[in-house]
Amino acid sequence: AQTVTQSQPEMSVQEAETVTLSCTYDTSESDYYLFWYKQPPSRQMILVIRQEAYKQQNATENRFSVNFQKAAKSFSLKISDSQLGDAAMYFCAYSGRGMLTFGGGTRLMVKP
Amino acid sequence: GAVVSQHPSWVICKSGTSVKIECRSLDFQATTMFWYRQFPKQSLMLMATSNEGSKATYEQGVEKDKFLINHASLTLSTLTVTSAHPEDSSFYICSARGASGEKIYEQYFGPGTRLTVT
């Protein structure tokens, strides 16, 4: 079975600074996707970024980027120029053909 | 595209009654939908996988007779909490899986339903 671990229950960042959220996973599959979801106080799950395992290039979406280390099974999220609206729960998720396995989440606080 | 709605967004019911939550894919057909439960400050816990036209697959520890799931069409899945008790109070989230190609790796989430049982 796949497992996803987020070792940082809480993180804090100063507005406009950069923060990195960690995620590791365990799998024996070769084809899979990895995701970072944001869950703000509204509790709507919002897709932040996705990474296809077969792609070596790290995914980037505006201020959000990932560091995907396939051999190490590591998938960290970097948020640049942090904004107050980035404050939320962030979940790392693994997908093997559509079944999502979530990490425990990291609560990100942004200080003005 | 890939919008999923849930109704109601918030429901309060009395202990012993049943409540139905609807999950709809608005602009795509979803052969597979998922139901999650989330406790405060915790991650999402998969309750069951719902396939159109067939019986749902429940995760270990989830009571099939308490949480009835029906996926009667390609755009609608329902979760009925039967004989609700206060411990069933929680946030319930549905999602729909992409239909084909690489989209099957993704899930599109509804906004969730907050259930309070008094």
Side-chain angles (χ1 to χ4, degrees), chain A residues 33 39 50 54 95 98 103, chain B residues 38 43 102 104-107 111:
Chain A
Y33 278 57
Q39 189 179 42
R50 72 170 67 82
Y54 63 85
S95 174
Chain B
Q38 186 180 32
S43 188
E102 291 187 333
I104 67 171
Y105 285 89
E106 292 197 36
Q107 291 183 23

Side-chain angles (χ1 to χ4, degrees), chain B residues 57-75:
Chain B
T57 302
Y58 291 82
E59 295 299 302
Q60 190 172 7
V62 177
E63 298 177 59
K64 301 178 183 181
D65 295 332
K66 167 167 276 296
F67 299 101
L68 300 180
I69 291 171
N70 183 276
H71 193 159
S73 78
L74 287 172
T75 59

Side-chain angles (χ1 to χ4, degrees), chain A residues 47-66:
Chain A
L47 177 64
V48 174
I49 199 166
R50 72 170 67 82
Q51 175 77 45
E52 298 89 332
Y54 63 85
K55 290 187 177 179
Q56 292 186 342
Q57 186 173 6
N58 289 323
T60 299
E61 288 287 343
N62 301 314
R63 297 183 295 108
F64 300 88
S65 62
V66 299

Side-chain angles (χ1 to χ4, degrees), chain A:
Chain A
Q2 290 76 29
T3 58
V4 179
T5 303
Q6 293 178 248
S7 59
Q8 307 152 316
E10 283 190 359
M11 290 285 285
S12 180
V13 63
Q14 202 72 34
E15 194 176 7
E17 297 295 311
T18 296
V19 64
T20 298
L21 308 184
S22 301
C23 173
T24 59
Y25 61 96
D26 188 25
T27 184
S28 58
E29 297 177 329
S30 56
D31 294 329
Y32 55 89
Y33 278 57
L34 296 163
F35 303 90
W36 278 98
Y37 285 94
K38 171 185 178 181
Q39 189 179 42
S42 68
R43 303 188 80 170
Q44 168 75 61
M45 295 289 283
I46 301 168
L47 177 64
V48 174
I49 199 166
R50 72 170 67 82
Q51 175 77 45
E52 298 89 332
Y54 63 85
K55 290 187 177 179
Q56 292 186 342
Q57 186 173 6
N58 289 323
T60 299
E61 288 287 343
N62 301 314
R63 297 183 295 108
F64 300 88
S65 62
V66 299
N67 183 2
F68 174 46
Q69 301 290 328
K70 191 173 183 179
K73 296 179 181 173
S74 170
F75 181 61
S76 61
L77 174 70
K78 185 171 81 172
I79 306 174
S80 304
D81 185 25
S82 297
Q83 301 175 359
L84 295 177
D86 294 334
M89 282 291 291
Y90 286 82
F91 293 100
C92 176
Y94 169 100
S95 174
R97 296 193 66 78
M99 299 296 293
L100 282 178
T101 301
F102 287 93
T106 296
R107 178 172 301 279
L108 177 65
M109 294 173 285
V110 181
K111 297 178 180 179

